[in-house]
Amino acid sequence: MVVLVLFAAVCLAAPLSGAISAVMALQTRAQTSDAMSAGGTAADIPARMLTAYQKAVHLIGRYAPACRGMRWPILAGIAKVESNHALGHTITASGDIRPKIYGVLLDGSGAGGNTTAVPDTDGGRWDGTALGERAVGPFQFLPATWESTGKDASGDHVADPHNADDAALSAAAYLCGHGRDLTRRAQLRAAIWQYNHSAPYLSSVLGWIDQYTAAASRPNLNGVPTRVRTVLQAALSQRGVPYAWGGGSPNGRSTGSCCSPGGKSGTHITGFDCSGLTLYAYAKAGIRLPRTAAAQAGIGQRIPAALGIRALKPGDLVFYAYVPGRDTTIYHVGIYTGGGQMINAARPGTLVRLDAVAAMSGYAGGARLL
């Protein structure tokens, strides 16, 4: 799939999606847009798919004993881009995905952007057609790649790319290669590049990996001043609450309003938008904030973006702007938790979550109120 790393605006932002091999950089942008519809946290992963990712991490030592650093957010980042975690498909208890997931037919017709015909290698066994090749399953393997890479994780003695367990383990083995250390960013980048030789794809997958890693972690609040801890605990206690445009008050979550710049209404959702969440959390420490992200940037000690993320301390507000350096263009705010992360009400369709500060576009510095 030819992909672009896009960032949506106004209390929202998330990296986009992609495909496997250089050939699979040729799928449709429509699929990419669909992948944007879910949030970038573990909450957007079907429970059975998350189980498959975690199972693959548990089993990978048998197949790639020299591999280091395989973890479920890596597999989730790939699968998010490839199939949006098989969203909309039924996943059985044994991991079988129905209906099966097929990519575009790589016949050189130009459909989905493909201009090079790839001859059939499996007689339609995996991709359902003998007219050519198409990628299959939640990790979008080409049949020829599957023949050399497929692993049986489900225990039925058949390596099936349409089975979540088999596909996740096979992707883990493929990414591990001959003993990669995936704790090293350079080797992680090399593994994703091998999966798909596309710079936008690489950026997109890394963005999702960072978001899932942040979502899965628990901030360490040891040594944090009491009032700062009060703010952070209040915000963190709302993890999993829906985003509601216009939602949130000093008293907590509330029904939102209509409508976001993207046309999303919060009138039937009880939750928070970005500034509603900060409003609530800081109220717990006795600090009353103005309602909008841009107005909140005028409170407290401003921390210039030029100082970088390292200048932030837990409890600081974190801002994003259309034009960094011009506070009137600020469109989003989060609360820094330390370790490069923030608690975030990201955008319509997501839940309150932990995110990497660097996962969003237009970093505009922060503000220290405590």
Side-chain angles (χ1 to χ4, degrees):
M1 177 188 297
V2 177
V3 295
L4 302 172
V5 178
L6 299 180
F7 296 87
V10 188
C11 280
L12 57 99
L16 214 41
S17 28
I20 173 170
S21 73
V23 173
M24 292 319 298
L26 300 172
Q27 294 179 7
T28 66
R29 284 190 178 134
Q31 291 169 316
T32 299
S33 297
D34 289 342
M36 284 286 289
S37 63
T41 172
D44 78 323
I45 304 174
R48 186 60 183 83
M49 290 300 293
L50 182 58
T51 296
Y53 306 154
Q54 294 170 332
K55 183 177 180 179
V57 172
H58 178 71
L59 294 175
I60 190 58
R62 302 181 188 177
Y63 299 90
C67 184
R68 297 290 180 270
M70 177 54 68
R71 48 199 175 88
W72 74 256
I74 295 175
L75 297 174
I78 295 285
K80 174 67 178 182
V81 167
E82 296 294 353
S83 68
N84 200 18
H85 307 301
L87 196 67
H89 296 254
T90 297
I91 309 168
T92 68
S94 62
D96 292 329
I97 298 171
R98 298 294 182 270
K100 297 177 180 179
I101 301 172
Y102 297 118
V104 298
L105 182 64
L106 300 173
D107 58 1
S109 65
N114 86 92
T115 56
T116 303
V118 179
D120 176 68
T121 63
D122 67 336
R125 179 186 182 191
W126 300 123
D127 63 5
T129 179
L131 299 178
E133 292 281 78
R134 53 183 178 176
V136 294
F139 284 86
Q140 289 290 276
F141 281 97
L142 289 176
T145 305
W146 183 258
E147 286 301 322
S148 61
T149 305
K151 303 288 186 291
D152 170 32
S154 60
D156 63 358
H157 306 294
V158 176
D160 184 351
H162 300 286
N163 177 275
D165 295 330
D166 295 359
L169 178 59
S170 301
Y174 189 87
L175 291 164
C176 278
H178 299 290
R180 285 194 176 100
D181 182 353
L182 299 176
T183 64
R184 297 176 179 269
R185 192 72 166 186
Q187 293 195 34
L188 176 60
R189 292 173 66 91
I192 298 168
W193 182 261
Q194 178 183 341
Y195 208 91
N196 184 346
H197 302 314
S198 162
Y201 180 88
L202 173 64
S203 296
S204 182
V205 170
L206 286 172
W208 285 114
I209 290 172
D210 289 343
Q211 288 202 44
Y212 289 128
T213 299
S217 66
R218 295 180 178 273
N220 183 356
L221 302 185
N222 292 335
V224 174
T226 300
R227 291 184 74 200
V228 173
R229 185 183 297 111
T230 297
V231 170
L232 293 178
Q233 288 177 335
L236 288 165
S237 71
Q238 302 306 308
R239 290 174 73 176
V241 172
Y243 180 101
W245 174 261
S249 75
N251 298 318
R253 69 191 77 169
S254 67
T255 302
S257 58
C258 186
C259 283
S260 75
K264 300 295 185 180
S265 175
T267 56
H268 301 294
I269 303 172
T270 300
F272 294 97
D273 65 9
C274 66
S275 54
L277 179 64
T278 57
L279 192 73
Y280 165 73
Y282 269 90
K284 291 297 184 181
I287 296 176
R288 197 167 188 90
L289 296 180
R291 185 59 180 82
T292 67
Q296 290 177 6
I299 305 296
Q301 175 191 347
R302 197 75 165 86
I303 304 167
L307 296 180
I309 294 174
R310 291 185 179 181
L312 297 172
K313 292 183 178 180
D316 289 347
L317 295 176
V318 184
F319 299 107
Y320 298 84
Y322 296 118
V323 183
R326 292 178 57 186
D327 283 0
T328 56
T329 69
I330 286 175
Y331 67 86
H332 190 79
V333 61
I335 303 175
Y336 190 63
T337 60
Q341 299 175 359
M342 64 178 171
I343 187 72
N344 193 23
R347 63 184 177 84
T350 67
L351 307 177
V352 175
R353 68 201 191 195
L354 274 172
D355 273 337
V357 172
M360 294 184 61
S361 173
Y363 176 63
R368 186 162 299 147
L369 282 64
L370 293 169

